[in-house]
Amino acid sequence: MSAATVAPRLHGIRQRRLTVLSALLGALAVAVVLSVTIGSKSVPLADAWHALTSPTGTENDIVIRSLRVPRTVLGVLSGVALGVAGALMQGHTRNPLADPGLLGVTQGAAFAMVSSIILLGVDSLLAYIWFGLAGALVASVAVFALGMVGGRGGPTPVTLALAGTAVSALLAALTSAVVLLDEQAMDVFRFWQAGSISGRSADVVWQVLPFILVGLVLAMINAPGLNALSLGEDVARGLGQNIPMTRTVGVAAVTLLSGAAVAACGSLAFVGLIVPHLVRPLSGTDHRWLLPYSGLVGAALLLFADVIGRVVAPPGELEVGVVLALIGAPFFVALVRRRKPVRL
Amino acid sequence: MTRRPLRVGRLSWRVRPRAVTLCVTGLVLLVLLMALNMRIGEIDMSLADVLAGTFDVNSPAHFVIMELRLPRALTGALVGMALALSGAIIQSIARNPLASPEILGVTTGASVAVVAGVVASGSVNSGVSGLLATLGVPALSLVGGLLGAAIVYGLAWRRGLDGYRLVLVGIGVAAVFTNVKFWLLTVGDVNDTSRAMVWISGSLNARGWEHVVPTALALVVLVPVTLLGARSLDALRFGDDTVTALGVRVNLARALLILAAVLLAAVATAAAGPIAFVALAAPQIALRLARTAQPPLLCSALVGGVLTTGADLIARIAFSPIELPVGIVTAVLGAPYLIHLIWRSRK
């Protein structure tokens, strides 16, 4: 193929990718608008705009500013974080079963939370989240260290995945033991476990924001290296990749992103499991596009699911994790059945 | 010297001395752990009493051993073997060390069914007791498990069964089941939730012959079937095209083996709940100990039995008189060992 024919084709691909990107951004914008306006008390769009630009302290203003906006922002942040983390994790482990919880973040967060309840008598949401974050980070560092010593010359996908599963299983068992012994811990744990973004104040958003931002930057830095790695380690080394470095940056990004999201919203890690599979047919296997697409789809999916959860079972709400599973998973299965899956 | 063929007439098998040693060691260890397990109870016995009670009809311990302790120990061993075998089959077919009966929808389906049953009937029947415990829960579990597997199987089947598609469909279905389970746990009373948690964790408490017999029957029928299919299983790791060229009827072999794995996991889960980690870890531990490319089937089963029985022993004595659900200890025991093996394999 001559250079003259390659250039227009590349241009076409680029065009298509930008189109998809703007479509996904549009979908996310719609989700954000719905999330701000719809709920047990629906607020007209004009009032919502008024509440955001020039609040006067009406009931709608309070609902929007203190409940809906933090909830929506947290949903977007967590959705982006989980989508990107899932795509990174599957890329690094080259395993379609890998979810961002694979490094032990979910179980680490859960165990730290329930332990803080029975050992220290902690009883505020903000404090749980700090403990959850710490637990998530410690667990994934432990997994990474194990994978590191287990593999030859840096963590290999299989040892990383197995070490993560082993540590997760261990922590999950300890968590079950704690919640079986203590009913108060059980009560907090079961609601956290179901996964929810409701009832989180703006403080929670500020709490997780720095972790997610740093994680996103690391993820995008990691994308080209991950592309090289997916050609196989030997090829990547031949292309001049520092493999242990690439892996470390990737794992650090996954840890920050998924740790923050899971600590704040509960076990939603399977968002990260499903989203990359949904996105791969659109993006192909180029991580520079797969990661942002996954982030946008993750956020839109999480918000749509949350909105549906608010209206589907009045007067109560259905946890976003449950709605996500009920809607996202069948969609995912249908997609897997219809297309030949894009293999990792 | 690692592979000596064993020939009888026209038939021949490959024999791996390492795997044989492992199996024999596993069997001895399993029997020993079962005997130790049978010592414990309301009145602790000596090993001699246990032996006498098992084989001597006139021994004073005979009734307690035969009616209470032996069935419990047997349930643990058999359930562990069934789960591990199921895991070994699935990991070979999916060519994925992270695969376990969970992705076939068996354990998750069973969990949803049982939690729904407990939460729905909780305050009325005072939870998992009486008729619901002896008949209802195993039946719910079996129905839920088989239904879950049927859903995964049906959705994954498209002109044949592709290992990769099976895994992906399995993830999706498992996500639905798991989250419905989480939701059900938030709906019920916190007491019911705790009771359901015990079952979800997997427990061998108060298991009798009615739990032993179905599991034993399943193993008696399905182990030979699986071993017959082991050759195809060995071949399946080379990829569908190669295997077809080698003359294996890929889809038939795979479908039968998956069916065997589903039945094993469903029966085991019905007997003792979805005991965590055995199906995933036992094949990986056996594979590393036997140094084979794929999980060795019989060794995996024995490792599973040892892991479960050992875990039950610890679950009963660690916080005595409180008895932990065995599924909590399988992970506490199995995970560090698996980590140790991973760590050792770096050499």
Side-chain angles (χ1 to χ4, degrees), chain A residues 24 35 66 87 121 153 188 227 318:
Chain A
L24 293 179
S35 172
S66 66
V188 174
N227 280 344
L318 212 52

Side-chain angles (χ1 to χ4, degrees), chain B residues 292-304:
Chain B
T292 50
Q294 289 222 303
L297 296 175
L298 275 183
C299 294
S300 300
L302 285 165
V303 169

Side-chain angles (χ1 to χ4, degrees), chain A residues 40-335:
Chain A
S40 54
K41 182 179 193 323
S42 281
V43 178
L45 199 53
D47 287 11
W49 183 250
H50 176 258
L52 291 178
T53 49
S54 50
T56 48
T58 63
E59 193 189 339
N60 275 347
D61 288 357
I62 294 170
V63 168
I64 295 282
R65 292 182 72 91
S66 66
L67 298 176
R68 296 276 168 76
V69 169
R71 183 174 184 160
T72 305
V73 175
L74 187 63
V76 171
L77 280 178
S78 313
V80 168
L82 289 170
V84 172
L88 272 180
M89 199 67 217
Q90 291 177 2
H92 274 286
T93 55
R94 271 196 261 165
N95 195 322
L97 280 179
D99 69 45
L102 189 70
L103 285 174
V105 284
T106 310
Q107 303 305 340
F111 181 62
M113 274 185 190
V114 297
S115 308
S116 77
I117 293 170
I118 66 157
L119 296 180
L120 307 173
V122 173
D123 61 355
S124 84
L125 186 67
L126 276 181
Y128 294 149
I129 292 176
W130 279 124
F131 277 100
L133 247 157
L137 298 186
V138 170
S140 69
V141 168
V143 168
F144 189 66
L146 271 172
M148 194 84 140
V149 295
R152 296 179 185 81
T156 64
V158 173
T159 55
L160 207 57
L162 274 176
T165 316
V167 170
S168 290
L170 184 63
L171 290 168
L174 296 175
T175 306
S176 325
V178 171
V179 299
L180 281 176
L181 296 174
D182 186 290
E183 213 152 74
Q184 195 213 337
M186 173 85 213
D187 213 24
V188 174
F189 173 68
R190 61 181 182 151
F191 285 100
W192 176 83
Q193 180 175 249
S196 172
I197 54 173
S198 77
R200 271 72 170 163
S201 64
D203 296 339
V204 175
V205 172
W206 291 116
Q207 208 176 355
V208 295
L209 184 67
F211 296 91
I212 292 181
L213 285 183
V214 175
L216 286 177
V217 171
L218 287 181
M220 286 321 288
I221 292 174
N222 199 226
L226 192 51
N227 280 344
L229 263 186
S230 55
L231 298 173
E233 297 213 342
D234 293 337
V235 178
R237 206 170 289 122
L239 287 170
Q241 280 291 323
N242 180 348
I243 293 174
M245 189 64 191
T246 312
R247 290 241 189 269
T248 310
V249 171
V251 169
V254 172
T255 302
L256 291 171
L257 291 170
S258 56
V262 162
C265 313
S267 56
L268 292 175
F270 77 96
V271 176
L273 184 71
I274 289 179
V275 164
H277 292 294
L278 296 179
V279 167
R280 241 172 239 121
L282 294 174
S283 69
T285 50
D286 183 347
H287 286 91
R288 287 172 305 169
W289 293 93
L290 178 63
L291 295 182
Y293 282 11
S294 294
L296 291 175
V297 171
L301 197 64
L302 197 68
L303 282 188
F304 276 126
D306 190 44
V307 170
I308 293 171
R310 290 180 214 169
V311 295
V312 81
E317 289 192 358
L318 212 52
E319 278 81 6
V320 64
V322 181
V323 182
L324 263 173
L326 290 180
I327 296 168
F331 184 58
F332 171 72
V333 169
L335 203 77

Side-chain angles (χ1 to χ4, degrees), chain B residues 5-329:
Chain B
L6 174 70
R7 291 208 171 85
V8 179
R10 291 180 56 199
L11 299 172
S12 67
W13 291 269
R14 279 178 310 169
V15 177
R16 299 192 177 92
R18 213 183 152 82
V20 173
T21 321
L22 180 62
C23 281
V24 173
T25 320
L27 198 59
V28 172
L29 201 59
L30 182 60
V31 172
L32 189 69
L33 283 170
M34 281 173 65
L36 286 175
N37 220 328
M38 290 197 291
R39 285 183 56 224
I40 319 170
E42 212 147 288
I43 306 162
D44 288 353
M45 301 179 189
S46 69
L47 272 181
D49 288 344
V50 170
L51 268 181
T54 314
F55 297 106
D56 180 6
V57 189
N58 299 319
S59 155
H62 187 68
F63 178 80
V64 175
I65 290 284
M66 293 312 281
E67 289 307 311
L68 299 174
R69 301 196 181 178
L70 185 61
R72 179 187 176 136
L74 274 175
T75 309
L78 294 174
V79 160
M81 291 170 77
L83 284 174
L85 191 57
S86 172
I89 296 171
I90 295 167
Q91 291 181 0
S92 304
I93 287 177
R95 292 174 220 140
N96 193 320
L98 295 185
S100 72
E102 203 150 300
I103 61 152
L104 287 185
V106 183
T107 45
T108 42
S111 298
V112 170
V114 171
V115 174
V118 171
V119 169
S121 68
S123 19
V124 187
N125 293 340
S126 67
V128 197
S129 63
L131 193 65
L132 186 68
T134 49
L135 262 180
V137 167
L140 274 176
S141 159
L142 197 63
V143 171
L146 293 179
L147 213 60
I151 291 172
V152 171
Y153 210 95
L155 287 174
W157 182 277
R158 253 194 107 195
R159 278 172 272 129
L161 210 57
D162 175 57
Y164 198 84
R165 186 167 352 105
L166 181 72
V167 166
L168 290 183
V169 169
I171 296 174
V173 175
V176 175
F177 285 161
T178 311
N179 280 277
V180 169
K181 179 184 79 183
F182 289 161
W183 173 68
L184 285 169
L185 286 175
T186 65
V187 169
D189 181 70
V190 74
N191 289 313
D192 297 335
T193 309
S194 296
R195 266 186 233 111
M197 276 295 281
V198 172
W199 189 87
I200 294 176
S201 307
S203 166
L204 289 170
N205 200 5
R207 295 309 193 260
W209 288 109
E210 71 273 20
H211 298 103
V212 175
V213 174
T215 320
L217 279 178
L219 278 169
V220 165
V221 176
L222 293 172
V223 168
V225 171
T226 315
L227 290 180
L228 281 178
R231 273 164 194 266
S232 323
L233 209 55
D234 261 350
L236 278 177
R237 84 182 134 111
F238 294 115
D240 287 8
D241 297 342
T242 318
V243 184
T244 311
L246 283 172
V248 177
R249 290 160 76 184
V250 182
N251 277 323
L252 184 70
R254 194 154 37 199
L256 286 177
L257 283 165
I258 291 176
L259 189 63
V262 165
L263 290 174
L264 284 166
V267 172
T269 309
I275 298 180
F277 208 57
V278 175
L280 191 139
Q284 290 299 313
I285 291 174
L287 173 154
R288 285 178 168 72
L289 289 177
R291 298 194 189 146
T292 50
Q294 289 222 303
L297 296 175
L298 275 183
C299 294
S300 300
L302 285 165
V303 169
V306 168
L307 183 59
T308 314
T309 313
D312 193 34
L313 191 62
I314 295 174
R316 301 177 74 183
I317 51 183
F319 294 98
S320 148
I322 298 177
E323 211 171 277
L324 286 174
V326 62
I328 289 177
V329 187

